[in-house]
């Protein structure tokens, strides 16, 4: 996370650094992103960067924190989310809202999707944290009797995440089609495909 010296910067300079990071992380996976390019695009000396952050990981965590705060603000202001919604409804709702945010803040969605295909240990830990939140929701749905108790919660969330990622790269530019196909896939996962022999 940023050092105290970063928070003493003007909002304009903090914004330049954030924008430069977002630009790089939305066009390259974290493991391939160039810290030198970020520094150049931000228009700051390399030595100054290390007064604000320890390394590229710190800068990435800061970017995620800013995006996460904005996402939380959006979701808290959105009407129509049933407080008793199951994990599948939550995933669809959050996906819709995140795509909407991407229209206003170009780069957010792209950076998130590139994070999903990065296999660096640093990014794997971040992804696991996100997966664990949804697994916990699914486990709660089991307790509420909405999901069969024998279902492997992590497998279900990984199936949705994998499908989500693949479909985004196929149809991401057509947001409505992407959301429709994702919704259909979640419905199949939720309801199953086998016909009951009872």
């Amino acid at each position: 996370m940023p050092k105290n010296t970063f928070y003493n910067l003007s909002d304009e300079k903090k914004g330049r650094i954030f924008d430069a990071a977002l630009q790089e992380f939305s066009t390259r996976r974290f493991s391939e992103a160039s810290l030198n390019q970020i520094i150049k695009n931000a228009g700051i000396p390399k030595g100054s960067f290390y007064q604000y952050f320890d390394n590229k990981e710190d800068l990435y965590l800061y970017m995620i924190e800013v995006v996460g705060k904005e996402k939380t603000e959006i979701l808290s202001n959105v009407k129509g989310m049933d407080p008793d919604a199951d994990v599948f409804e939550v995933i669809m709702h959050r996906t819709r809202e995140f795509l909407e945010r991407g229209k206003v803040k170009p780069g957010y969605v792209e950076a998130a999707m590139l994070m999903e295909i990065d296999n660096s240990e640093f990014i794997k830990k971040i992804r696991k944290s996100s997966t664990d939140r949804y697994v916990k929701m699914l486990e709660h749905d089991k307790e509420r009797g909405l999901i069969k108790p024998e279902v492997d919660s992590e497998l279900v969330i990984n199936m949705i995440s994998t499908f989500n990622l693949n479909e985004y790269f196929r149809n991401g530019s057509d947001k409505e089609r992407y959301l429709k196909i994702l919704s259909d896939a979640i419905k199949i996962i939720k309801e199953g495909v086998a016909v009951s022999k009872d």
Side-chain angles (χ1 to χ4, degrees), residues 3-67:
K3 298 177 181 179
N4 289 337
T5 50
F6 177 78
Y7 294 108
N8 295 330
L9 296 175
S10 68
D11 287 344
E12 184 273 332
K13 193 166 189 178
K14 285 189 282 193
R16 274 192 291 130
I17 293 169
F18 175 83
D19 290 344
L22 181 61
Q23 179 183 353
E24 186 69 8
F25 293 131
S26 66
T27 55
R28 290 179 183 77
R29 294 183 297 175
F30 172 82
S31 56
E32 298 167 341
S34 166
L35 186 54
N36 288 333
Q37 190 62 48
I38 293 169
I39 291 167
K40 179 181 174 185
N41 290 345
I44 60 171
K46 193 169 191 171
S48 294
F49 174 84
Y50 291 104
Q51 292 176 4
Y52 312 141
F53 299 92
D54 283 330
N55 49 35
K56 185 168 73 168
E57 287 85 352
D58 272 355
L59 177 60
Y60 195 85
L61 289 172
Y62 169 70
M63 184 188 76
I64 288 175
E65 179 187 48
V66 170
V67 172

Side-chain angles (χ1 to χ4, degrees), residues 5 38 58 73 95 142 154-155:
T5 50
I38 293 169
D58 272 355
E73 287 171 15
T95 301
K142 284 183 187 180
E154 190 169 346
L155 177 61

Side-chain angles (χ1 to χ4, degrees), residues 30-171:
F30 172 82
S31 56
E32 298 167 341
S34 166
L35 186 54
N36 288 333
Q37 190 62 48
I38 293 169
I39 291 167
K40 179 181 174 185
N41 290 345
I44 60 171
K46 193 169 191 171
S48 294
F49 174 84
Y50 291 104
Q51 292 176 4
Y52 312 141
F53 299 92
D54 283 330
N55 49 35
K56 185 168 73 168
E57 287 85 352
D58 272 355
L59 177 60
Y60 195 85
L61 289 172
Y62 169 70
M63 184 188 76
I64 288 175
E65 179 187 48
V66 170
V67 172
K69 281 181 183 174
E70 289 183 11
K71 189 174 169 183
T72 300
E73 287 171 15
I74 292 165
L75 293 174
S76 66
N77 292 325
V78 172
K79 305 285 185 232
M81 188 64 198
D82 182 351
D84 292 324
D86 64 28
V87 68
F88 304 108
E89 293 167 305
V90 170
I91 289 170
M92 283 305 303
H93 189 77
R94 289 183 176 176
T95 301
R96 264 189 223 98
E97 296 309 317
F98 193 59
L99 290 174
E100 283 302 310
R101 188 62 179 160
K103 290 179 185 175
V104 179
K105 295 280 192 169
Y108 280 22
V109 175
E110 292 79 4
M113 290 302 172
L114 285 173
M115 182 175 78
E116 293 298 320
I117 60 171
D118 193 312
N119 285 321
S120 68
E121 290 304 313
F122 172 70
I123 295 296
K124 283 181 185 177
K125 288 178 187 172
I126 294 171
R127 265 198 321 259
K128 180 163 178 13
S129 172
S130 176
T131 299
D132 288 348
R133 281 194 298 275
Y134 286 112
V135 167
K136 188 175 178 179
M137 284 184 222
L138 207 143
E139 288 295 319
H140 179 66
D141 285 349
K142 284 183 187 180
E143 293 168 8
R144 297 192 303 160
L146 302 175
I147 305 288
K148 296 174 187 173
E150 68 273 12
V151 167
D152 182 331
S153 299
E154 190 169 346
L155 177 61
V156 169
I157 298 305
N158 284 335
M159 287 170 62
I160 293 171
S161 295
T162 300
F163 184 85
N164 190 2
L165 179 66
N166 287 335
E167 203 53 42
Y168 177 80
F169 283 112
R170 285 190 192 122
N171 291 305

